[in-house]
Amino acid sequence: MAKKAPADQQAIRESAEVRFAQELERLTKADANNPKPQGWLRSPRAVRQFILGDDALNITPKFFGDDALVDRAIVTLLGKQGLMLVGEPGTAKSMLSELFAAAISGDSGLTIQGTAGTTEDHIKYSWNYALLLAEGPTERALVGSPLYQGMLQGKIVRFEEITRCPPEIQDVLVSLMSEKQLMIPEMGDGARISAKPGFNLIGTANLRDRGVHEMSAALKRRFNFETVKPIRDPAFEISLIQSQLENELGSLANEVTVPADVVELLVTTFQELRSGNTKDGGNIKTPDAVMSTAEAVNIAYACALEAHYLGNGVMNAGAIARQLIGVVLKDNADDIKRIRYYMDNVARERARNSKEWKAFFDASKEFWQ
């Protein structure tokens, strides 16, 4: 089990099994008499409690909005099929896969990052060439990939952004997922490893990346697909952003004032630009940029830091407009036009009757005019 580093040596972001070590320990004790699948550290019920929360055990909820999806995902991981989480960028697919791995295997670090440069070696194994030259193809010279280690140890393996990989690399997984065996021909006839109970694969893919490298039909059949959707309830998203912001700020949370009206403005802007519909009944064109809850939390966090270090300690709507530039105005000229239209036709009208929207509108002039 991963151990928490001393305070002066802590990483910027620790793995889920370290961040939530105390919660996992409480769950393990409470889970002693529940049936556990072979290879799982905790029962499916405890995995569900870890992700969705349990007040009685003081387990915080970590994924919001779709309890049924979590249940279906757990059932998938109990079987032979892999789990594929798809959705828009920023909908917490990677976080969810990390939580599953931490709760089931106690190790969320067996991860393959899909890129255009991912090779078969990254999925299977490679060699320590100094040892290979000295000893030949021995177990000591073999360098196992995360998937190799997951099969050997009976753990959950995560494959992030699988559609970023070329099709021929993706299809390396077809036989591995079907046979649950990995051949090592360099070590002689019959050299192979067989996956131990507990092994499974969780993949993630962005819906916007479907055109990058479409998965083959053969590979798709090895996975059950679950779509992680953006949050649509404004009140729920406001509450979530406030709680996430408090967690991000840590000790600074007591030194920064976060007005509820400013967070509401942030959520309203994101939900309207995300959906293409304003709460006043108007229609707008949605930007290509990612308008996820995760991005909204990042903006709120940046605004809070600005308020603390450069302002008067109170987060304001003008900072929301300034930080929005980095999220929306990237490399798409059409997005600039869409934001201009939103500011000129939506924000301007609301600025007549709201000081928060006026501050937002006034600060936005520097990039929309």
Side-chain angles (χ1 to χ4, degrees):
M1 179 180 293
K3 296 182 179 180
K4 195 175 184 68
D8 61 346
Q9 298 178 19
Q10 287 185 18
I12 293 175
R13 185 187 185 279
E14 294 171 322
S15 62
E17 56 270 25
V18 174
R19 297 200 309 276
F20 304 111
Q22 293 182 349
E23 291 190 10
L24 289 168
E25 185 177 350
R26 288 197 296 273
L27 275 171
T28 300
K29 291 179 180 178
D31 195 41
N33 296 322
N34 290 327
K36 302 175 184 62
Q38 193 174 3
W40 286 37
L41 293 181
R42 299 170 185 87
S43 70
R45 187 181 301 276
V47 173
R48 186 182 195 276
Q49 290 171 312
F50 176 64
I51 294 172
L52 297 179
D54 187 307
D55 291 338
L57 293 175
N58 193 24
I59 306 298
T60 58
K62 302 166 188 66
F63 180 76
F64 305 85
D66 197 342
D67 294 5
L69 182 150
V70 173
D71 291 342
R72 292 194 304 269
I74 291 173
V75 172
T76 292
L77 293 172
L78 285 167
K80 297 180 180 180
Q81 294 286 93
L83 173 64
M84 183 63 64
L85 301 174
V86 301
E88 294 292 319
T91 48
K93 300 181 296 298
S94 295
M95 181 197 74
L96 186 55
S97 73
E98 179 187 13
L99 294 173
F100 278 127
I104 294 170
S105 302
D107 185 357
S108 62
L110 296 176
T111 305
I112 302 169
Q113 180 61 53
T115 70
T118 300
T119 66
E120 187 172 332
D121 290 354
H122 294 138
I123 297 176
K124 290 184 172 182
Y125 57 86
S126 58
W127 298 94
N128 179 322
Y129 287 103
L131 287 174
L132 183 64
L133 291 172
E135 302 177 358
T138 62
E139 288 188 20
R140 205 162 75 98
L142 187 146
V143 180
S145 70
L147 190 139
Y148 179 100
Q149 296 297 332
M151 294 179 72
L152 201 62
Q153 300 172 34
K155 293 183 176 182
I156 297 292
V157 179
R158 303 162 57 206
F159 200 134
E160 298 291 328
E161 308 289 356
I162 193 169
T163 51
R164 291 284 178 183
C165 298
E168 62 273 16
I169 300 302
Q170 293 182 31
D171 282 344
V172 171
L173 293 171
V174 173
S175 62
L176 296 178
M177 294 298 293
S178 298
E179 305 298 330
K180 301 295 190 292
Q181 291 185 338
L182 175 57
M183 302 296 295
I184 311 173
E186 295 93 336
M187 294 178 65
D189 294 340
R192 72 185 71 187
I193 62 167
S194 297
K196 291 183 179 178
F199 165 76
N200 210 330
L201 187 65
I202 304 177
T204 66
N206 287 325
L207 291 176
R208 298 192 186 191
D209 288 343
R210 275 185 170 172
V212 177
H213 294 298
E214 182 70 20
M215 295 173 64
S216 68
L219 184 56
K220 286 180 179 178
R221 288 199 301 272
R222 272 67 182 181
F223 289 93
N224 285 346
F225 281 66
E226 293 290 346
T227 301
V228 185
K229 298 178 180 179
I231 296 172
R232 291 186 170 85
D233 182 354
F236 182 64
E237 190 166 14
I238 289 170
S239 175
L240 178 59
I241 289 175
Q242 288 174 326
S243 64
Q244 292 294 311
L245 177 59
E246 185 175 346
N247 290 336
E248 292 285 345
L249 288 172
S251 60
L252 291 180
N254 295 326
E255 301 182 33
V256 179
T257 301
V258 183
D261 289 345
V262 175
V263 178
E264 182 180 355
L265 181 149
L266 171 63
V267 170
T268 298
T269 300
F270 264 65
Q271 292 228 339
E272 290 178 337
L273 290 173
R274 184 190 301 153
S275 67
N277 301 305
T278 70
K279 64 180 182 181
D280 309 315
N283 296 319
I284 56 176
K285 291 185 177 180
T286 59
D288 289 339
V290 176
M291 304 298 295
S292 66
T293 302
E295 294 288 355
V297 171
N298 290 339
I299 284 182
Y301 181 56
C303 292
L305 293 178
E306 178 182 326
H308 177 69
Y309 290 107
L310 301 175
N312 60 1
V314 179
M315 196 170 88
N316 62 76
I320 299 292
R322 289 189 291 274
Q323 294 299 326
L324 190 65
I325 299 173
V327 171
V328 180
L329 304 185
K330 295 189 177 179
D331 58 357
N332 190 329
D334 289 336
D335 280 357
I336 298 176
K337 297 175 184 177
R338 291 162 186 162
I339 292 298
R340 283 176 178 168
Y341 181 89
Y342 182 81
M343 295 299 180
D344 204 21
N345 292 274
V346 179
R348 183 196 291 271
E349 289 302 313
R350 292 175 183 168
R352 301 178 191 277
N353 303 308
S354 166
K355 65 178 183 179
E356 288 80 15
W357 279 97
K358 185 177 188 307
F360 179 75
F361 175 72
D362 289 344
S364 72
K365 291 179 181 179
E366 64 184 78
F367 64 88
W368 73 267
Q369 283 186 337

